[in-house]
C-alpha cells in the first residue's frame, strides 16, 4: 500500500512530499518564486528568505522590494547623482542615470565635467570677437557723431559772433559836405573814436 500526502509542508513536493523545492522556488508545493537573492542557492525553500542578502537594487526579507527613488546598490544605501537629467533618477541596480545627464556633465553617473569640443570653443571665440567688434564700431560711431555735433555748435557760435560785431562800411558824419567815414577791414583805429574826433572839430569851428 502506497502512502500519499494530501498536502506537503512548505519547501517540499511529491506524492509523499519526498522532494525538496528546486532552486529558486519555495513554499507550499514549491509554487512561490524566490526574490532577487544575492545567492539564489541561499533562498530558503520553506519561507523564501534570502539567507545571504539581496542583489543590488533590492531590499526586504524576500528581496522583492525595489530601492526607493533616489537610491541604488546593495542595501539601497547609495544616493543617485543630483546631476542626472531628472535629479536623483537612476537605475536602482547600477546607479546609472535614467535619461542622461544635465548640461555640463557626462558619464554613467553624471559626475564628470563635460569638456568643450573644438568646434564649441571656436564658436564661442567667434561670438566673442563679433561682440567686441560690434562694441568698437558703436563707440567709433558715437565719437564721430559727438565730433560732428561739436563742430556744428562751434560754427554756429562763430556765425552768431560775426553777426553781433558786424560794423557798417561807412558812417555819415554829417556836415554840409555829407562826409562819409569808411571803415575798412584791417584798420586798427577805433572807428567810433575817429567819428567823435571829426564831430568835435566841426563843433569847435
Amino acid at each position: 500500500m502506497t502512502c500519499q500526502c494530501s498536502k506537503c509542508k512548505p519547501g517540499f513536493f511529491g506524492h509523499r512530499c519526498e522532494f525538496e523545492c528546486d532552486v529558486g522556488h519555495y513554499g507550499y508545493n514549491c509554487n512561490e518564486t524566490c526574490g532577487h537573492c544575492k545567492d539564489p542557492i541561499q533562498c530558503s525553500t520553506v519561507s523564501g528568505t534570502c539567507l545571504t542578502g539581496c542583489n543590488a537594487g533590492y531590499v526586504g526579507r524576500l528581496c522583492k522590494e525595489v530601492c526607493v527613488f533616489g537610491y541604488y546598490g546593495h542595501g539601497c544605501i547609495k544616493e543617485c547623482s543630483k546631476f542626472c537629467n531628472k535629479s536623483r533618477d537612476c537605475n536602482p541596480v547600477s546607479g546609472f542615470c535614467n535619461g542622461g545627464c544635465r548640461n555640463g556633465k557626462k558619464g554613467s553617473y553624471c559626475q564628470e565635467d563635460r569638456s568643450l569640443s573644438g568646434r564649441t570653443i571656436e564658436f564661442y571665440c567667434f561670438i566673442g570677437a563679433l561682440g567686441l567688434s560690434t562694441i568698437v564700431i558703436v563707440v567709433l560711431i558715437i565719437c564721430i557723431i559727438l565730433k560732428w555735433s561739436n563742430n556744428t555748435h562751434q560754427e554756429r557760435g562763430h556765425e552768431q559772433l560775426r553777426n553781433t560785431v558786424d560794423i557798417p562800411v561807412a558812417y555819415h558824419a554829417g556836415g554840409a559836405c555829407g562826409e562819409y567815414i569808411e571803415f575798412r577791414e584791417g584798420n586798427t583805429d577805433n572807428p567810433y573814436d575817429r567819428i567823435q574826433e571829426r564831430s568835435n572839430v566841426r563843433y569847435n569851428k
Side-chain angles (χ1 to χ4, degrees):
M1 183 176 178
T2 303
C3 178
Q4 183 174 354
C5 297
S6 60
K7 186 176 182 180
C8 300
K9 290 181 179 181
F12 296 91
F13 72 100
H15 293 295
R16 291 180 294 178
C17 301
E18 71 272 27
F19 301 111
E20 190 175 2
C21 294
D22 294 332
V23 174
H25 295 274
Y26 70 98
Y28 290 107
N29 294 321
C30 303
N31 288 330
E32 301 291 336
T33 302
C34 294
H36 298 271
C37 297
K38 195 173 185 179
D39 184 355
I41 298 177
Q42 296 301 320
C43 173
S44 171
T45 57
V46 177
S47 64
T49 300
C50 293
L51 303 177
T52 56
C54 307
N55 275 331
Y58 295 90
V59 291
R61 182 175 61 84
L62 301 179
C63 299
K64 291 184 177 182
E65 302 172 33
V66 181
C67 294
V68 297
F69 180 85
Y71 291 87
Y72 73 98
H74 290 289
C76 299
I77 59 175
K78 296 181 179 180
E79 284 191 70
C80 299
S81 173
K82 64 181 179 181
F83 297 111
C84 294
N85 195 35
K86 181 181 179 182
S87 183
R88 309 292 185 190
D89 183 13
C90 74
N91 184 289
V93 177
S94 65
F96 293 170
C97 288
N98 296 324
C101 307
R102 292 184 177 182
N103 290 336
K105 295 293 182 179
K106 67 177 183 177
S108 300
Y109 300 98
C110 300
Q111 297 290 352
E112 304 173 39
D113 292 328
R114 185 184 298 278
S115 58
L116 297 175
S117 64
R119 289 187 176 181
T120 303
I121 294 174
E122 291 177 0
F123 173 76
Y124 283 118
C125 289
F126 172 76
I127 293 298
L130 182 62
L132 183 60
S133 300
T134 302
I135 293 174
V136 171
I137 292 173
V138 170
V139 171
L140 288 176
I141 292 175
I142 292 175
C143 290
I144 293 172
I145 293 174
L146 291 176
K147 181 70 174 177
W148 175 82
S149 177
N150 186 49
N151 291 339
T152 302
H153 286 306
Q154 289 182 352
E155 290 177 359
R156 288 178 180 176
H158 292 161
E159 183 68 25
Q160 292 176 354
L161 183 60
R162 284 194 297 270
N163 292 337
T164 57
V165 298
D166 277 350
I167 300 174
V169 296
Y171 174 78
H172 185 272
C177 297
E179 297 179 0
Y180 285 87
I181 300 173
E182 293 186 357
F183 302 146
R184 302 295 181 184
E185 292 183 0
N187 189 351
T188 58
D189 294 336
N190 189 326
Y192 296 105
D193 291 341
R194 294 173 58 192
I195 294 171
Q196 187 64 37
E197 289 176 0
R198 294 200 176 189
S199 297
N200 291 335
V201 170
R202 287 190 178 89
Y203 288 134
N204 291 332
K205 288 181 180 180

